[in-house]
PDB file of all heavy atoms in Angstrom:
ATOM      1  N   SER H 136     -23.542  15.447   5.479  1.00  0.00           N
ATOM      2  CA  SER H 136     -24.251  14.916   4.272  1.00  0.00           C
ATOM      3  C   SER H 136     -23.306  13.757   3.702  1.00  0.00           C
ATOM      4  O   SER H 136     -23.911  12.703   3.306  1.00  0.00           O
ATOM      5  CB  SER H 136     -24.481  15.938   3.217  1.00  0.00           C
ATOM      6  OG  SER H 136     -25.403  16.924   3.645  1.00  0.00           O
ATOM      7  N   ARG H 137     -21.998  13.989   3.579  1.00  0.00           N
ATOM      8  CA  ARG H 137     -21.217  12.886   3.158  1.00  0.00           C
ATOM      9  C   ARG H 137     -21.224  11.605   3.998  1.00  0.00           C
ATOM     10  O   ARG H 137     -21.278  10.391   3.506  1.00  0.00           O
ATOM     11  CB  ARG H 137     -19.823  13.493   3.070  1.00  0.00           C
ATOM     12  CG  ARG H 137     -18.793  12.456   2.411  1.00  0.00           C
ATOM     13  CD  ARG H 137     -17.639  13.108   1.860  1.00  0.00           C
ATOM     14  NE  ARG H 137     -16.870  13.950   2.899  1.00  0.00           N
ATOM     15  CZ  ARG H 137     -16.640  15.172   2.967  1.00  0.00           C
ATOM     16  NH1 ARG H 137     -17.213  16.009   2.064  1.00  0.00           N
ATOM     17  NH2 ARG H 137     -15.924  15.789   3.924  1.00  0.00           N
ATOM     18  N   ASN H 138     -21.300  11.830   5.437  1.00  0.00           N
ATOM     19  CA  ASN H 138     -21.385  10.740   6.243  1.00  0.00           C
ATOM     20  C   ASN H 138     -22.683  10.005   6.157  1.00  0.00           C
ATOM     21  O   ASN H 138     -22.758   8.753   6.254  1.00  0.00           O
ATOM     22  CB  ASN H 138     -21.251  11.159   7.728  1.00  0.00           C
ATOM     23  CG  ASN H 138     -19.875  11.605   8.083  1.00  0.00           C
ATOM     24  OD1 ASN H 138     -18.954  11.230   7.431  1.00  0.00           O
ATOM     25  ND2 ASN H 138     -19.572  12.478   9.070  1.00  0.00           N
ATOM     26  N   ILE H 139     -23.769  10.771   5.886  1.00  0.00           N
ATOM     27  CA  ILE H 139     -25.112  10.188   5.777  1.00  0.00           C
ATOM     28  C   ILE H 139     -25.078   9.361   4.412  1.00  0.00           C
ATOM     29  O   ILE H 139     -25.611   8.275   4.386  1.00  0.00           O
ATOM     30  CB  ILE H 139     -26.253  11.237   5.687  1.00  0.00           C
ATOM     31  CG1 ILE H 139     -26.463  11.930   7.014  1.00  0.00           C
ATOM     32  CG2 ILE H 139     -27.537  10.696   5.106  1.00  0.00           C
ATOM     33  CD1 ILE H 139     -27.405  13.122   7.011  1.00  0.00           C
ATOM     34  N   SER H 140     -24.409   9.823   3.400  1.00  0.00           N
ATOM     35  CA  SER H 140     -24.374   9.177   2.107  1.00  0.00           C
ATOM     36  C   SER H 140     -23.508   7.823   2.254  1.00  0.00           C
ATOM     37  O   SER H 140     -23.988   6.766   1.746  1.00  0.00           O
ATOM     38  CB  SER H 140     -23.657  10.104   1.042  1.00  0.00           C
ATOM     39  OG  SER H 140     -23.559   9.312  -0.144  1.00  0.00           O
ATOM     40  N   GLN H 141     -22.523   7.878   3.061  1.00  0.00           N
ATOM     41  CA  GLN H 141     -21.774   6.718   3.318  1.00  0.00           C
ATOM     42  C   GLN H 141     -22.469   5.604   4.042  1.00  0.00           C
ATOM     43  O   GLN H 141     -22.477   4.489   3.735  1.00  0.00           O
ATOM     44  CB  GLN H 141     -20.444   7.103   4.120  1.00  0.00           C
ATOM     45  CG  GLN H 141     -19.390   7.849   3.354  1.00  0.00           C
ATOM     46  CD  GLN H 141     -18.176   8.286   4.017  1.00  0.00           C
ATOM     47  OE1 GLN H 141     -18.229   8.173   5.230  1.00  0.00           O
ATOM     48  NE2 GLN H 141     -17.208   8.844   3.486  1.00  0.00           N
ATOM     49  N   GLU H 142     -23.271   6.106   5.066  1.00  0.00           N
ATOM     50  CA  GLU H 142     -24.103   5.180   5.910  1.00  0.00           C
ATOM     51  C   GLU H 142     -25.269   4.642   4.848  1.00  0.00           C
ATOM     52  O   GLU H 142     -25.537   3.356   4.998  1.00  0.00           O
ATOM     53  CB  GLU H 142     -24.789   5.954   6.959  1.00  0.00           C
ATOM     54  CG  GLU H 142     -23.776   6.434   8.085  1.00  0.00           C
ATOM     55  CD  GLU H 142     -23.045   5.203   8.706  1.00  0.00           C
ATOM     56  OE1 GLU H 142     -23.713   4.208   9.079  1.00  0.00           O
ATOM     57  OE2 GLU H 142     -21.851   5.272   8.773  1.00  0.00           O
ATOM     58  N   LYS H 143     -25.871   5.349   4.012  1.00  0.00           N
ATOM     59  CA  LYS H 143     -26.801   4.814   3.049  1.00  0.00           C
ATOM     60  C   LYS H 143     -26.179   3.798   2.195  1.00  0.00           C
ATOM     61  O   LYS H 143     -26.735   2.765   1.840  1.00  0.00           O
ATOM     62  CB  LYS H 143     -27.491   5.941   2.245  1.00  0.00           C
ATOM     63  CG  LYS H 143     -28.357   6.766   3.208  1.00  0.00           C
ATOM     64  CD  LYS H 143     -29.020   7.950   2.393  1.00  0.00           C
ATOM     65  CE  LYS H 143     -30.074   8.780   3.205  1.00  0.00           C
ATOM     66  NZ  LYS H 143     -30.634   9.779   2.424  1.00  0.00           N
ATOM     67  N   ASN H 144     -24.971   4.043   1.732  1.00  0.00           N
ATOM     68  CA  ASN H 144     -24.248   3.031   0.862  1.00  0.00           C
ATOM     69  C   ASN H 144     -23.984   1.864   1.528  1.00  0.00           C
ATOM     70  O   ASN H 144     -24.113   0.674   1.093  1.00  0.00           O
ATOM     71  CB  ASN H 144     -22.998   3.776   0.348  1.00  0.00           C
ATOM     72  CG  ASN H 144     -23.207   4.810  -0.735  1.00  0.00           C
ATOM     73  OD1 ASN H 144     -24.233   4.893  -1.324  1.00  0.00           O
ATOM     74  ND2 ASN H 144     -22.149   5.587  -0.833  1.00  0.00           N
ATOM     75  N   GLU H 145     -23.512   1.971   2.884  1.00  0.00           N
ATOM     76  CA  GLU H 145     -23.337   0.785   3.723  1.00  0.00           C
ATOM     77  C   GLU H 145     -24.674  -0.027   3.955  1.00  0.00           C
ATOM     78  O   GLU H 145     -24.630  -1.309   3.962  1.00  0.00           O
ATOM     79  CB  GLU H 145     -22.807   1.173   5.071  1.00  0.00           C
ATOM     80  CG  GLU H 145     -22.413   0.101   5.999  1.00  0.00           C
ATOM     81  CD  GLU H 145     -21.264  -0.797   5.471  1.00  0.00           C
ATOM     82  OE1 GLU H 145     -20.544  -0.318   4.580  1.00  0.00           O
ATOM     83  OE2 GLU H 145     -21.078  -1.837   5.940  1.00  0.00           O
ATOM     84  N   ILE H 146     -25.740   0.721   4.085  1.00  0.00           N
ATOM     85  CA  ILE H 146     -27.100   0.014   4.186  1.00  0.00           C
ATOM     86  C   ILE H 146     -27.333  -0.831   2.985  1.00  0.00           C
ATOM     87  O   ILE H 146     -27.813  -1.903   3.043  1.00  0.00           O
ATOM     88  CB  ILE H 146     -28.179   1.005   4.571  1.00  0.00           C
ATOM     89  CG1 ILE H 146     -28.032   1.558   6.027  1.00  0.00           C
ATOM     90  CG2 ILE H 146     -29.635   0.380   4.322  1.00  0.00           C
ATOM     91  CD1 ILE H 146     -28.949   2.772   6.258  1.00  0.00           C
TER      92      ILE H 146
END
Side-chain angles (χ1 to χ4, degrees):
S136 296
R137 189 159 56 243
N138 288 337
I139 289 173
S140 178
Q141 288 174 351
E142 291 301 308
K143 288 180 178 179
N144 289 339
E145 182 64 18
I146 289 171

